[in-house]
Amino acid sequence: MEQKQPEHVRCLIVGSGPAGYTAAIYASRANLNPVEYCGLQPGGQLTQTTTVENFPGYPEGVDGNQMMMEIREQAEHFGADIRDGLIVKADLSKAPYLLTTDEGHELAADTVIIATGASAKYLGLDDERKYNGQGVSACATCDGFFYRKKVVAVVGGGDTACEDALYLSGLAKKVYLIVRKPFLRASKVMQERVMAAENIEILFEHNTLGLFGENGVEGAHLVKRKGEPDEEKVDIAIDGFFLAIGHKPNSDVFKEWLDTDEVGYLKKIDGTPRTKIPGVFVAGDVADPVYRQAITAAASGCQAAIEAERYLLNK
């Protein structure tokens, strides 16, 4: 049986959040005939949020799914070839770069834009899935606004958790910070700010067992000093439950070839979308441990496509 030749593409985009779809818009308009693989979650993390209120151009807010569908349609309107499927293997040793889908289809790409995003870490409780979008959120800056004058809980003890708690304390009536350990891991400055906030109550040595509520989250079942002789069960009444135990960048397929930080975020060169491999670019949350917003992801998708276009022109 003769070996099938890999499909040749000028620009391959891996992933389909705001970064991937925006890269597809720019690459299509530059006549790069981009092929984009959507990955496990077409539309990315935004499809998990209900209303997006902080993306310019939507004064009334917009449903996360709706917005991603519109950006996708815009890319397809300019000719992007957007496909379902995952990239499961990459060989970036020489150009054209060889990438393989979950169905074994091989692509030889002159340029690659990696926009695989990041996934919020969850505690792994069934209730997190049950109440997803009904009181459970992994993004305080996206969803905090819906909890004005309400009571919320943030899970975590690091800088992100403290930042989220402080952000929410400016909106909510009360914020519980649920911390597994007897101390905060966050930087000194963040600790001091959280301690000084009047409406933040830190629950040290507490673990979450589950959530309860009829039409969305109404409270959380906690356990204090789990496994100790004085272990006790505690219930708190809350309207929102925010996870701030970190994100995992979806970079595993590319780690062998590209540099990452200790968490796994892909490294950029000098703040550009370029990586150490010529013609391979990164965009969105897979390379952004800091901002992680739809607007910054979209902007970086634009940058990556412009870099890909320039790279092909100079070649």
Side-chain angles (χ1 to χ4, degrees), residues 10-195:
R10 294 181 72 204
C11 178
L12 178 66
I13 300 166
V14 189
S16 64
Y21 285 155
T22 305
I25 291 171
Y26 275 79
S28 304
R29 293 184 75 250
N31 287 334
L32 304 188
N33 307 324
V35 170
E36 177 174 14
Y37 276 87
C38 283
L40 271 181
Q41 195 178 30
Q45 291 181 81
L46 272 196
T47 56
Q48 300 277 306
T49 56
T50 39
T51 310
V52 179
E53 293 188 326
N54 53 10
F55 200 91
Y58 296 98
E60 302 290 310
V62 59
D63 174 81
N65 276 302
Q66 177 71 31
M67 183 169 113
M68 293 324 297
M69 273 164 60
E70 286 172 4
I71 301 179
R72 176 182 177 140
E73 279 169 25
Q74 196 172 345
E76 288 177 325
H77 171 74
F78 291 115
D81 179 353
I82 300 179
R83 307 174 183 178
D84 288 331
L86 277 174
I87 297 295
V88 292
K89 209 168 119 208
D91 179 354
L92 307 182
S93 55
K94 60 178 195 298
Y97 304 111
L98 203 62
L99 293 97
T100 313
T101 71
D102 49 347
E103 295 191 335
H105 181 61
E106 287 192 332
L107 300 116
D110 297 333
T111 58
V112 180
I113 295 173
I114 301 166
T116 44
S119 307
K121 289 186 192 159
Y122 284 81
L123 296 168
L125 307 170
D126 288 341
D127 289 344
E128 288 171 317
R129 274 200 301 280
K130 179 179 168 185
Y131 294 107
N132 202 355
Q134 288 185 293
V136 170
S137 168
C139 182
T141 42
C142 316
D143 300 328
F145 189 71
F146 304 115
Y147 297 93
R148 277 175 309 177
K149 311 247 186 305
K150 293 185 174 177
V151 180
V152 297
V154 176
V155 183
D159 276 335
T160 305
C162 287
E163 246 168 70
D164 286 1
L166 284 163
Y167 175 76
L168 292 165
S169 74
L171 299 162
K173 185 166 70 186
K174 174 165 184 145
V175 180
Y176 289 105
L177 186 57
I178 303 170
V179 186
R180 214 179 46 206
K181 298 192 159 92
F183 57 87
L184 290 171
R185 284 198 331 275
S187 59
K188 220 56 206 138
V189 165
M190 291 307 279
Q191 291 189 37
E192 283 162 10
R193 284 185 195 154
V194 166
M195 303 282 189

Side-chain angles (χ1 to χ4, degrees), residues 251-284:
S251 59
D252 289 356
V253 174
F254 305 101
K255 270 185 178 162
E256 184 188 338
W257 307 100
L258 300 172
D259 295 334
T260 67
D261 70 5
E262 59 281 3
V263 181
Y265 287 97
L266 296 174
K267 285 189 175 173
K268 305 170 175 183
I269 290 179
D270 300 334
T272 69
R274 296 194 292 271
T275 67
K276 68 178 187 184
I277 296 179
V280 177
F281 307 98
V282 290

